[in-house]
Amino acid sequence: MPNIDNDVAGNMTHPWLDLDGDKLREECGVFGAINAADASAATALGLHALQHRGQEAVGITSFDGKEFFSRRGLGHVAENFSSAEAIAELPGTMAAGHVRYSTTGGSGLRNVQPLYAELASGGFAVAHNGNISNAQMLRKDLVGKGSIFQSTSDTEVIIHLVATSRYPTIADRLVDALRLVEGAYALIVMTPEGMIACRDPLGIRPLVMGKMGDAVVFASETVAFDVVGAEFIREVEPGELLQVSTDGEVKSVHPFGKSPARPCIFEHVYFSRPDSFFAGHSVYEARKAIGAELAKESPCEADLIVPVPDSGVPAAIGYAQASGLPFELGIIRSHYVGRTFIQPSDSARHAGVKRKHNANRSLVEGKRIVLIDDSIVRGTTSLKIVEMMREAGAKEVHFRVASPPTAHSCFYGVDTPERNKLLAARMQIGPMREYIKADSLAFISIDGLYRAVGAKGRDKACPQFCDACFTGDYPTSLTDLRLKEQGGDELPFDDTKAA
């Protein structure tokens, strides 16, 4: 029997990210290693590099050739996997791990991945980054046929589809299951025969492949390879299924055919770490190019360019270089406002921005400043930052945004607020400027964003990226959303954000 009892609650703390929910939460991060002497240790290090993609919970599952072992906990990687004892509980040369925010399924240990099940063919563990947009429909059908679910995560649907498939091999059964799935996924699967990594046919969610000596490793971002000392080989292609056996054989198949890729463009804007590479480009250089393009499209007479830290820094550097205006750290971020044992009161919630950011008064007083941020979601944080600049004596406060207006919800693994809470869904640019109390407000255009990341512009007939949060052009069917809008039954794990 697998040892899957090592669930820990960490410190039972909750991530303090943005007290107003005014940032898009990254989806999740996955890492896997096979044929590695210290597979679990490498996985823990890789997940540490991916911590920005999910701070709610973490899990690692390993396989020693005979038995699967799992350890899961709430909180950060360091809180759960920093000790030698924790790693010793996960022996073997194959391991996979996951850091998460809950996009479907809610919080709680039962939803912490990798999810594990005993199938007729043996153990099966899966780590999933993304969101299945027809999971409710599939789950309802499976439950009607007798399936018993142990979690409220959409990922468990994949396990039940694999378990009920009639195909002979586990790879064929996985393909059979994924043919029924809509939405976005980057998967790392562990079986007694080896590891399988695959991406959805449009490549919406990222997944990369590397080598670490004789080991093959997979991760959501290349930065995880830097940390573990692995060599980046290539991206897992959209729709590709890579099988790595325990004897080192690597097999690649494209069972879904090939479609034009639509990777998430917000990886360039915000999600990926700046020191990663995504879609063939340095994320840092792409963000600088976004800032430079923004300066060309929306110049401003000002004295200083000030980033909203930390995510606005690369774009602000690009804006400053393109405009010839000086770049200054007019806002200082506290790196010690991270976690709290209790949910904050309303009064503490209102003070949240000042606890996280503080104006550098000596720089901004009497100056015309341009604030650069990666996005505006609800607008509440933008309003408070503008007010903070004015309180510090700024003469003028102009706001420039390194992405187009976020006017639509995401259904592909990003925790987006309901559409009626997105500022750009409720207001045009003028009213938005008045709401955040800026002297001027401008966003990069969708074509400008595409130019900054290496395209000539957005191909309306066949966009090169998934940009649905900006355009409302969803690249896949949204079956669960359609059923919900039609008044269909909601299942217990449904927290789909209404568009």
Side-chain angles (χ1 to χ4, degrees):
M1 291 293 291
N3 180 357
I4 58 171
D5 296 324
N6 294 318
D7 290 350
V8 294
N11 288 331
M12 293 303 293
T13 55
H14 299 278
W16 191 100
L17 299 163
D18 178 277
L19 293 176
D20 293 300
D22 202 23
K23 284 288 183 185
L24 298 184
R25 284 183 171 183
E26 301 93 332
E27 325 83 68
C28 298
V30 295
F31 187 94
I34 180 170
N35 301 321
D38 299 306
S40 295
T43 299
L45 282 173
L47 292 177
H48 192 274
L50 301 173
Q51 186 74 84
H52 59 287
R53 300 188 73 90
Q55 300 180 40
E56 180 179 285
V58 57
I60 296 176
T61 297
S62 71
F63 181 65
D64 68 353
K66 296 180 179 179
E67 191 173 357
F68 285 85
F69 303 82
S70 286
R71 181 180 174 90
R72 302 176 295 176
L74 302 180
H76 289 185
V77 178
E79 293 173 318
N80 292 285
F81 295 102
S82 60
S83 69
E85 291 79 11
I87 298 301
E89 293 176 0
L90 299 163
T93 58
M94 179 169 62
H98 187 271
V99 289
R100 81 184 295 260
Y101 287 123
S102 56
T103 52
T104 61
S107 59
L109 280 174
R110 64 175 175 164
N111 293 317
V112 179
Q113 299 186 34
L115 297 184
Y116 177 85
E118 282 281 356
L119 307 184
S121 57
F124 184 93
V126 58
H128 170 210
N129 172 21
N131 198 56
I132 299 172
S133 59
N134 65 336
Q136 294 179 63
M137 183 193 72
L138 292 172
R139 179 175 174 133
K140 186 174 182 179
D141 181 63
L142 287 162
V143 169
K145 293 177 180 177
S147 291
I148 300 172
F149 282 73
Q150 300 298 313
S151 77
T152 56
S153 169
D154 63 328
T155 306
E156 193 178 355
V157 167
I158 296 172
I159 294 177
H160 286 272
L161 291 173
V162 171
T164 55
S165 173
R166 299 292 186 178
Y167 281 84
T169 70
I170 198 69
D172 288 339
R173 290 164 75 179
L174 179 61
V175 169
D176 187 36
L178 294 178
R179 289 190 193 280
L180 301 175
V181 164
E182 293 174 1
Y185 55 83
L187 300 177
I188 296 177
V189 172
M190 294 170 56
T191 75
E193 289 75 38
M195 182 170 283
I196 302 172
C198 60
R199 279 175 92 184
D200 62 79
L202 297 178
I204 298 174
R205 296 271 68 88
L207 192 63
V208 291
M209 176 185 181
K211 288 278 287 182
M212 187 175 63
D214 292 331
V216 176
V217 289
F218 298 98
S220 295
E221 293 184 37
T222 61
V223 68
F225 296 161
D226 299 335
V227 172
V228 302
E231 175 191 3
F232 168 64
I233 301 299
R234 63 178 178 86
E235 291 190 359
V236 178
E237 296 175 5
E240 182 180 21
L241 189 146
L242 276 164
Q243 303 174 64
V244 185
S245 68
T246 53
D247 61 9
E249 181 184 1
V250 180
K251 179 182 178 182
S252 169
V253 294
H254 287 81
F256 312 110
K258 289 193 176 184
S259 303
R262 295 283 297 273
C264 172
I265 200 166
F266 219 87
E267 294 285 346
H268 279 308
V269 174
Y270 176 69
F271 291 145
S272 291
R273 257 179 55 164
D275 44 346
S276 283
F277 283 79
F278 174 70
H281 294 274
S282 158
V283 173
Y284 179 76
E285 293 299 331
R287 288 179 187 165
K288 282 178 60 181
I290 291 170
E293 186 69 31
L294 181 59
K296 295 174 186 175
E297 290 187 349
S298 302
C300 185
E301 291 187 8
D303 302 309
L304 298 176
I305 305 301
V306 174
V308 177
D310 287 323
S311 56
V313 171
I317 293 173
Y319 193 103
Q321 291 175 348
S323 65
L325 295 170
F327 169 95
E328 295 286 358
L329 296 179
I331 301 172
I332 305 302
R333 180 191 171 196
S334 170
H335 290 268
Y336 299 97
V337 180
R339 303 178 66 77
T340 177
F341 284 96
I342 59 173
Q343 291 297 320
S345 64
D346 287 341
S347 59
R349 191 180 299 272
H350 290 309
V353 168
K354 285 194 175 181
R355 290 195 292 130
K356 188 175 182 181
H357 298 118
N358 193 45
N360 194 346
R361 182 179 291 272
S362 64
L363 277 175
V364 305
E365 190 169 15
K367 301 290 180 31
R368 301 169 299 169
I369 64 171
V370 180
L371 291 171
I372 309 289
D373 205 355
D374 61 273
S375 60
I376 292 179
V377 182
R378 298 173 189 260
T380 49
T381 298
S382 303
L383 165 63
K384 292 172 184 176
I385 294 235
V386 170
E387 289 179 336
M388 184 171 65
M389 293 290 98
R390 295 201 188 280
E391 290 171 3
K395 184 178 179 181
E396 295 177 9
V397 183
H398 303 271
F399 215 104
R400 297 293 182 269
V401 186
S403 62
T406 303
H408 302 271
S409 297
C410 178
F411 301 94
Y412 301 121
V414 180
D415 190 9
T416 316
E418 293 86 350
R419 193 181 180 203
N420 61 12
K421 295 181 180 177
L422 295 171
L423 194 65
R426 299 188 289 114
M427 299 180 185
Q428 297 297 317
I429 302 297
M432 289 176 70
R433 179 198 65 77
E434 293 176 1
Y435 176 82
I436 68 170
K437 300 181 180 178
D439 291 286
S440 69
L441 171 65
F443 296 79
I444 193 170
S445 68
I446 189 69
D447 283 324
L449 178 58
Y450 271 73
R451 287 192 294 269
V453 298
K456 293 181 179 179
R458 184 178 190 268
D459 184 342
K460 294 180 180 179
C462 187
Q464 305 93 311
F465 292 91
C466 178
D467 54 24
C469 55
F470 306 132
T471 64
D473 181 5
Y474 295 98
T476 74
S477 299
L478 300 174
T479 296
D480 288 346
L481 176 64
R482 175 174 50 80
L483 292 174
K484 184 177 181 179
E485 290 176 338
Q486 293 172 355
D489 293 336
E490 294 184 9
L491 291 167
F493 70 102
D494 174 37
D495 66 349
T496 305
K497 310 301 182 293

